[in-house]
Amino acid sequence: MHKQEAGDGSPVDPMFRADVVAGLSRRPRAIQARWLYDRRGSELFEDITDLPEYYPTRTEIGLLDRSGPAVADAVGPGRAVIEFGSGSSAKTPRLLQAIRPASYVPIDISGDFLRAAAADLAQRFPDLPVHPVEANFMQPVPLPDVVADQPKLGFFPGSTIGNLTASAAVDLLRTMRKSLGEGAQLLIGIDRVKSPDVLVPAYDDSAGVTAAFDLNLLERINRELAGTIPVDTFRHKAVWNPGHERIEMHLEATRDVLFEVDGRQFDMGAGDTIHTENSHKYTPSGARLLLRAGGWTPVSEWTDDADRFALILAEA
Ligand code: AVJ
């Protein structure tokens, strides 16, 4: 058998192998959401952001457009914007346009994404110094010396914080505070608790794009880990968990199945699921409590007219 490779020809991440095998072996079965985002998964997520049911992206973009001047006033001049994660985001140029910072530092674990995003922004803002940093922001990140004297504004849009359980989210907020240093501010996008009639379709759209995004994890396992999972046997499920105030994505076996991954056998009964992602939602007071627990004091907050999504500015 030839050596397994990821879709883009790079070697398989040994952490992916270990996580999948451990996740399928534990009960309840669960695989970390980060593995949904291979190249295909990232493309599918981009498609999700255009769906009529998926309100978060367009709501946050609308907020940045509408509240940009107010955000600029609250932030003040001369800051370095430090973005945690640098997707091919439509949000970043809007923020940079509004606040005109002294410099921009995108941090991402994927060097490819990082360089592409940095090059794109350098074109759109030719006078803005851009200093990309390839790093895992779940750990404290040393920032480039050139921004040492500039006060920092952390930017963490997309309600990405919602992927984490509350305790992991608190840890990350504290880590960000460490990375950003004294006098820093943080602008964070957080999705709000709302009716499951709005939430569930946002994670189980009628065109089936979110289902394809979720099921791609099984295809990735088959591709990269010599898996024999019969993907058609699984269906995507999005459920609102009211106790944890989160949307959960699961892959449900529609009949009894037996398959191999990485030379090991696994079986699942009809109705058994693999938990693949959490998307925690916050009430207004819950979001402020989370920030305070993470070492940040909320100072301003902007929301859309339907109160679906919040942009919160906090200070270290
Ligand atoms: C990228 C984590 C913010 O939770 O809304 C969207 C991921 N998953 N649809 C979210 C996602 C399914 C998204 N985040």
Side-chain angles (χ1 to χ4, degrees):
M1 192 180 68
H2 73 91
K3 192 157 151 282
Q4 293 298 313
E5 285 187 341
D8 58 4
S10 59
V12 172
D13 188 332
M15 294 285 288
F16 179 49
R17 190 184 307 275
D19 268 10
V20 169
V21 169
L24 292 174
S25 306
R26 94 170 65 96
R27 300 292 177 270
R29 294 171 186 83
I31 297 174
Q32 288 181 54
R34 55 190 281 227
W35 304 116
L36 290 164
Y37 300 86
D38 65 347
R39 177 180 296 198
R40 178 78 187 124
S42 300
E43 279 168 14
L44 286 165
F45 177 67
E46 287 297 313
D47 295 344
I48 286 173
T49 63
D50 288 332
L51 293 169
E53 296 98 329
Y54 192 75
Y55 61 86
T57 308
R58 83 177 60 86
T59 306
E60 190 176 32
I61 289 174
L63 267 174
L64 281 167
D65 283 343
R66 189 172 83 173
S67 310
V71 173
D73 277 350
V75 165
R79 292 208 174 242
V81 168
I82 318 295
E83 181 164 6
F84 296 97
S86 67
S88 43
S89 156
K91 296 160 196 167
T92 310
R94 288 173 153 93
L95 178 73
L96 299 178
Q97 187 67 43
I99 73 170
R100 302 251 157 214
S103 60
Y104 172 63
V105 180
I107 305 174
D108 204 286
I109 198 158
S110 155
D112 288 344
F113 273 137
L114 192 61
R115 279 180 288 275
D120 186 47
L121 280 165
Q123 277 224 325
R124 297 170 80 151
F125 299 92
D127 300 329
L128 177 71
V130 178
H131 310 287
V133 175
E134 188 171 341
N136 174 8
F137 60 72
M138 302 298 281
Q139 265 112 56
V141 180
L143 298 178
D145 288 341
V146 278
V147 303
D149 294 333
Q150 298 165 359
K152 312 295 184 299
L153 172 68
F155 184 44
F156 195 40
S159 204
T160 307
I161 193 85
N163 262 182
L164 304 176
T165 60
S167 80
V170 166
D171 288 348
L172 176 59
L173 289 166
R174 291 194 170 271
T175 300
M176 287 176 165
R177 194 175 183 281
K178 234 179 231 152
S179 298
L180 295 173
E182 286 300 307
Q185 296 175 322
L186 177 69
L187 184 66
I188 184 169
I190 301 188
D191 196 18
R192 290 210 160 154
V193 172
K194 60 184 68 65
S195 166
D197 296 344
V198 176
L199 286 169
V200 172
Y203 292 84
D204 192 5
D205 61 280
S206 60
V209 180
T210 310
F213 169 71
D214 201 2
L215 289 160
N216 175 58
L217 178 65
L218 301 181
E219 272 147 20
R220 181 179 185 189
I221 292 169
N222 286 350
R223 273 195 304 270
E224 298 187 25
L225 304 177
T228 62
I229 304 172
V231 178
D232 314 348
T233 301
F234 285 81
R235 75 174 187 103
H236 164 70
K237 264 177 73 173
V239 290
W240 171 245
N241 181 329
H244 284 100
E245 295 182 319
R246 68 190 185 202
I247 286 280
E248 297 178 2
M249 297 206 314
H250 293 262
L251 290 163
E252 183 184 61
T254 57
R255 55 173 172 79
D256 295 358
V257 275
L258 191 68
F259 55 84
E260 275 186 30
V261 174
D262 196 35
R264 278 164 248 243
Q265 291 220 334
F266 297 94
D267 59 79
M268 293 177 65
D272 288 348
T273 76
I274 307 168
H275 185 179
T276 51
E277 192 174 47
N278 287 319
S279 195
H280 292 82
K281 309 303 174 187
Y282 288 89
T283 61
S285 60
R288 291 192 292 266
L289 179 62
L290 179 78
L291 282 160
R292 273 190 231 101
W296 294 92
T297 306
V299 291
S300 305
E301 190 165 316
W302 297 274
T303 58
D304 56 298
D305 293 333
D307 271 346
R308 287 186 165 187
F309 197 96
L311 261 181
I312 304 177
L313 182 70
E315 287 176 356

